[in-house]
Amino acid sequence: MQITIISVGKLKEEYLIQGIDEYLKRLSKYAKVKIEEVPDEQAPDQLSEAEEKQVKQKEGEKIFTKLSTDHYVITLDLDGKQLTSEQFAQKLDDLATYGKSKVAFVIGGSLGLSDDIKQRSDLAISFSKMTYPHQLMRLILVEQVYRAFRIMRGEPYHR
């Protein structure tokens, strides 16, 4: 399986980089995983709804440059479907089984995802109804992908 994680913004926090690197190393025996960063749009703290939409649109255009037509796109979205770790593992296993082995996970910027990216999404998932920084979501995502592969292989994992 080839997994691409497309994320808006540059990761600067060393502790997050170390955690992600550790899970990427662990994942390397199960799948090819790469992280693609796209620059976030600079914007003031107070934006009108139209300005917010414009920022998300520009970030969405950058995300599209990293997607191919054969990617199965899974977006991380507050309004997405919540899955257990076992259901998530089953979904990845089903994708691999039925020829959808190129998976792209998309993490939007601090304002979320553009409507165009949401429409391109094959599956929208939410890890919680709580809001997390998008940089932290990278670490949570790679940990859950690693856990999914452990579950798929019947290997022990923390419950």
Side-chain angles (χ1 to χ4, degrees):
M1 184 169 259
Q2 295 178 26
I3 297 173
T4 304
I5 297 170
I6 303 165
S7 185
V8 174
K10 180 134 181 77
L11 198 56
K12 298 176 187 116
E13 295 82 358
E14 190 59 35
Y15 70 97
L16 292 174
I17 293 168
Q18 289 174 347
I20 291 166
D21 286 347
E22 176 62 28
Y23 281 108
L24 289 176
K25 185 172 74 177
R26 293 180 189 188
L27 268 166
S28 67
K29 71 179 189 176
Y30 301 111
K32 292 180 182 175
V33 182
K34 69 177 178 176
I35 295 180
E36 296 276 358
E37 291 181 337
V38 298
D40 53 351
E41 284 296 309
Q42 299 302 314
D45 289 338
Q46 298 297 319
L47 296 172
S48 69
E49 195 173 307
E51 291 169 323
E52 215 174 272
K53 187 174 182 175
Q54 186 178 29
V55 167
K56 290 192 288 188
Q57 185 65 34
K58 286 180 182 177
E59 290 175 347
E61 290 168 6
K62 294 173 191 174
I63 291 168
F64 267 115
T65 66
K66 304 294 182 181
L67 292 172
S68 64
T69 55
D70 59 345
H71 270 125
Y72 184 91
V73 178
I74 301 175
T75 50
L76 276 60
D77 188 338
L78 276 173
D79 297 323
K81 184 176 183 176
Q82 290 191 348
L83 304 172
T84 65
S85 294
E86 292 81 7
Q87 290 169 327
F88 183 61
Q90 185 62 58
K91 181 62 182 176
L92 291 181
D93 196 32
D94 289 348
L95 289 173
T97 301
Y98 297 108
K100 299 283 187 185
S101 61
K102 282 185 72 174
V103 177
F105 289 94
V106 178
I107 302 171
S110 57
L111 299 175
L113 295 166
S114 70
D115 290 339
D116 290 343
I117 293 294
K118 288 181 179 185
Q119 289 172 7
R120 171 63 179 88
S121 178
D122 295 297
L123 174 65
I125 61 173
S126 172
F127 283 98
S128 172
K129 291 296 177 192
M130 300 174 95
T131 303
Y132 294 103
H134 58 283
Q135 298 93 337
L136 179 60
M137 280 312 303
R138 277 196 229 182
L139 177 58
I140 294 170
L141 175 61
V142 293
E143 187 281 331
Q144 283 298 307
V145 171
Y146 171 70
R147 182 181 300 264
F149 277 99
R150 301 275 300 181
I151 292 168
M152 284 189 277
R153 301 282 195 287
E155 298 172 358
Y157 65 97
H158 182 72
R159 293 175 194 250

